[in-house]
Each structure stands twice: as C-alpha cells, then as structure tokens.
Amino acid sequence: MAGHSQPVTVVTGGAGFLGSHLTDRLLKEGHRVIAIDNLITGHLTNIEHLAGNENYRFIKQDVTQYLYVPDEIDFVFHFASPASPIDYLELPIPTLKVGALGTHNALGLAKAKKATFLLASTSECYGDPLVHPQREDYWGNVNPIGPRGVYDEAKRFAEAITMAYHRYHGIDTKIVRIFNTYGPRMRLRDGRVVPAFIGQALAEMPLTIFGDGSQTRSFCYVSDLIDGIFRLSQADFHEPVNIGNPREMTIKQFAEEIIRITGTKSSIEYRDLPVDDPKVRQPDIGRARKILQWEPKVQFEEGITTTIDYFRQWLARAKQR
Ligand code: UDP
C-alpha cells in the first residue's frame, strides 16, 4: 500500500466494456483511477463522460509494452484483452501477447508499486467443460491449438503467472473467472450473442443461431459482475473465484426471449456452429457466496431491457451522425 488516504488504481483495458464500468465503480468508491488502453477493442465513447474528472487519467498505450506509471499505486486491475470470439479470432497474436506479455507487465507494475493485483480471467479456462456447473477446482477441457485456444490458453497462462507472482514474490493477487456478462457499452458488432441478437432484432433481421441452439450460456448483468469483482479486490483470497449468474438458458431460448421482449418481427436462421464452441456453461458460485457474500441481484428481464434500450439509443445516435 502506498500509504496515502485516497487509493490509486490502474485499470488496464480501461476503455473497454468491463474496464469502463469498473472505473465508474472505483471512482464512486473514492479511488483515483489511471486507465490504460490501446483502443484496439476498447472505445473512447465508453469513457467520454469522465473527461475533466480530476480523479481520472487516461493513457493510450499497449500494455504489452513496458508500463511506466510514476504515481504510487495501490491496485492494478488487469482487464486488457480482446474478449469476444470474433475479436480474438481476428486478433490471435495480440490476444496471446496481452494475456502473456501484458499480464507480465501488469504484474511487474504491481510488484514495483507493492500494489494489489486483480486478474480478469474467464470461464473459457474451463473450455468445453465436462463438469457442470463449473466449479473453480475443475481444470477444464481446452483445445490448445483450436481457434479459441489463443484466448483460453493466454488466460490460463495469465492465471499461472499470477499465482507464481503471488507465491514467489508475495504479491497480493486475486483472480476472477468472468462468465458471460452483458449490459450497456458492449459493442453492437463485437459478435457476441447478446449484441448480435439485439442488433438483429432491432433491425428486424433474422436472428442467427449458431448450431441448433441447444448450447447453453448463463448471462450476468454488468453491475452484478462489477460488484463481485470489487468485493474480491477487498478480500483476502488468492485462488480463482467464479463471478457470473447461474441462471442458465439455451441459445434458442435466449433468441426467443429477445424476440419476445423487443417485439420484433425477426425470424430465426441457423448457421454453422463455430469450432470448439462450448456446449454448456454455468458458474457454480458457491465460493463467491461464501467468501464475498455475493450473488447476482439483477433479474434477466430487467437487465436485458436496460441493454436493449441502450442499443436503441445508440442506433438512434448513430443515425444522426
Ligand atoms: N451465438 C449465436 N449467434 C450469434 C452469436 C453467437 O448463436 O450471432 C452463439 C455462440 O455460438 C455461442 C453462444 O451464442 O454458443 C455465446 O456466444 P458468445 O459469442 O456470446 O460468447 P461465448 O460464450 O461463446 O464465449
């Protein structure tokens, strides 16, 4: 700890979907935030409301390059990474580099500043899981050389180096395994199922289900996720913790819900299932309940309605431009 009263916190990936929501929460908690992002998948519109905030600074930088931050720092939240399947298929090497070199640099910064480090890891560490729901002690079923391997293995390496810094350098580290999360500030065209289906529904285009739609996902609203992550940053616990919403549904059910809630006339179209697409995914959140006294509060209908409204407004603004 830097020994001053206002915590100073670095957020890598600070202009991304999660990094920007995390920043808002940290500012609300009284932190001074230094956000770092190279904007390859993050966007300045996510942080434009912070312009002029004296507790906020933005540095445009690739975290795979040496990180120079002169300030004393209390926390490093490492959230930089392409995170949608389309993004990491288009950016395989940057994805591997940010998970490996970027995590190394972010840990080095935490070590130099004696700061607490929190890694944004992922349910992709479980791959196409053979255990259901997924508990943190499950080691996963990952294809290292498949197209998703660039993300999965980068994050698994990131977890390994984080534990090594904890064990060998005594750094206070935390690891959150983030399950599917949705909400305002997702990119409409990032390829993930939530913006994809909402965008298609609002444009009255067919919703594109990959495979037969029997694969499942469990969707967590962003404010719930950020609350779990903030609690984890304050906890004395170093093993990975799943944060997600256990309410599981098939992708077909999800498409039907989007059609119902938006009231669109869109139909459903079936496309090929991407390689290694996990068949099921649901977090076991027993550990988060016990250690963080955390569980999600936002109901699906409420969260998805807010998200649909966000995309409606975003599209209306885009039309004006
Ligand atoms: N998916 C789909 N149609 C789309 C986009 C995604 O059916 O237009 C499916 C995808 O194959 C996966 C699920 O929705 O089974 C969730 O995909 P997403 O890209 O959101 O992330 P993932 O959970 O696979 O990391």
Side-chain angles (χ1 to χ4, degrees):
M1 276 286 172
H4 40 246
S5 54
Q6 182 181 31
V8 180
T9 299
V10 166
V11 178
T12 76
F17 166 47
L18 296 182
S20 66
H21 282 286
L22 174 64
T23 297
D24 289 344
R25 172 67 187 262
L26 292 167
L27 289 169
K28 226 181 249 165
E29 298 289 337
H31 290 226
R32 184 154 71 77
V33 175
I34 302 165
I36 305 178
D37 202 304
N38 65 353
L39 302 176
I40 57 167
T41 59
H43 213 280
L44 288 176
T45 51
N46 292 338
I47 52 171
E48 64 190 2
H49 61 288
L50 300 173
N53 186 324
E54 59 177 18
N55 287 314
Y56 182 75
R57 192 160 97 228
F58 178 72
I59 301 172
K60 183 172 181 291
Q61 203 203 301
D62 180 344
V63 297
T64 65
Q65 307 292 324
Y66 181 82
L67 294 174
Y68 173 71
V69 182
D71 314 54
E72 293 180 54
I73 297 167
D74 301 286
F75 294 93
V76 175
F77 286 79
H78 182 42
F79 276 63
S81 179
S84 89
I86 286 197
D87 286 342
Y88 51 75
L89 295 185
E90 275 172 8
L91 301 163
I93 294 167
T95 301
L96 282 158
K97 284 175 73 176
V98 74
L101 309 179
T103 306
H104 186 214
N105 285 340
L107 279 162
L109 181 67
K111 176 168 166 268
K113 306 284 181 178
K114 299 189 173 44
T116 293
F117 177 87
L118 187 145
L119 172 69
S121 185
T122 167
S123 55
E124 283 286 315
C125 287
Y126 304 120
D128 188 6
L130 306 176
V131 168
H132 192 68
Q134 292 77 55
R135 249 176 45 170
E136 291 87 347
D137 55 9
Y138 174 50
W139 292 350
N141 178 39
V142 171
N143 173 3
I145 58 162
R148 295 175 87 105
V150 296
Y151 183 65
D152 303 9
E153 295 296 7
K155 288 291 189 182
R156 287 162 67 100
F157 173 86
E159 289 198 4
I161 192 170
T162 298
M163 289 310 293
Y165 266 65
H166 174 62
R167 293 192 181 111
Y168 292 93
H169 290 310
I171 308 292
D172 177 21
T173 62
K174 339 270 179 189
I175 298 173
V176 56
R177 290 196 182 137
I178 298 171
F179 283 66
N180 292 70
T181 302
Y182 69 98
R185 300 188 197 156
M186 292 186 98
R187 276 156 43 232
L188 197 57
R189 277 171 258 288
D190 82 355
R192 281 190 272 206
V193 71
V194 175
F197 284 3
I198 296 176
Q200 291 161 344
L202 295 179
E204 310 261 318
M205 310 262 290
L207 272 60
T208 51
I209 291 188
F210 299 162
D212 63 5
S214 64
Q215 72 272 33
T216 69
R217 294 294 185 273
S218 309
F219 298 102
C220 184
Y221 189 65
V222 62
S223 60
D224 280 334
L225 181 95
I226 297 297
D227 187 50
I229 289 171
F230 184 75
R231 286 172 189 242
L232 178 61
S233 74
Q234 308 295 308
D236 184 20
F237 191 79
H238 308 288
E239 305 263 311
V241 178
N242 291 338
I243 300 284
N245 191 320
R247 186 180 189 273
E248 184 184 15
M249 62 179 97
T250 67
I251 292 302
K252 180 139 190 287
Q253 283 168 340
F254 179 63
E256 288 162 354
E257 286 290 298
I258 296 294
I259 289 173
R260 181 181 68 77
I261 297 169
T262 55
T264 181
K265 295 189 201 64
S266 296
S267 57
I268 287 180
E269 249 178 42
Y270 291 88
R271 302 267 172 88
D272 289 344
L273 190 66
V275 177
D276 295 334
D277 197 281
K279 284 182 263 318
V280 291
R281 189 183 284 155
Q282 184 194 29
D284 179 317
I285 58 164
R287 187 174 273 183
R289 279 203 174 97
K290 185 161 167 249
I291 290 163
L292 311 176
Q293 289 77 52
W294 174 88
E295 59 182 9
K297 292 197 181 75
V298 179
Q299 298 298 318
F300 175 75
E301 180 105 14
E302 184 193 342
I304 208 73
T305 303
T306 309
T307 308
I308 291 168
D309 288 347
Y310 167 81
F311 282 122
R312 266 208 186 98
Q313 286 167 19
W314 191 92
L315 285 166
R317 273 205 314 272
K319 237 187 214 163
Q320 285 166 7
R321 276 197 287 262

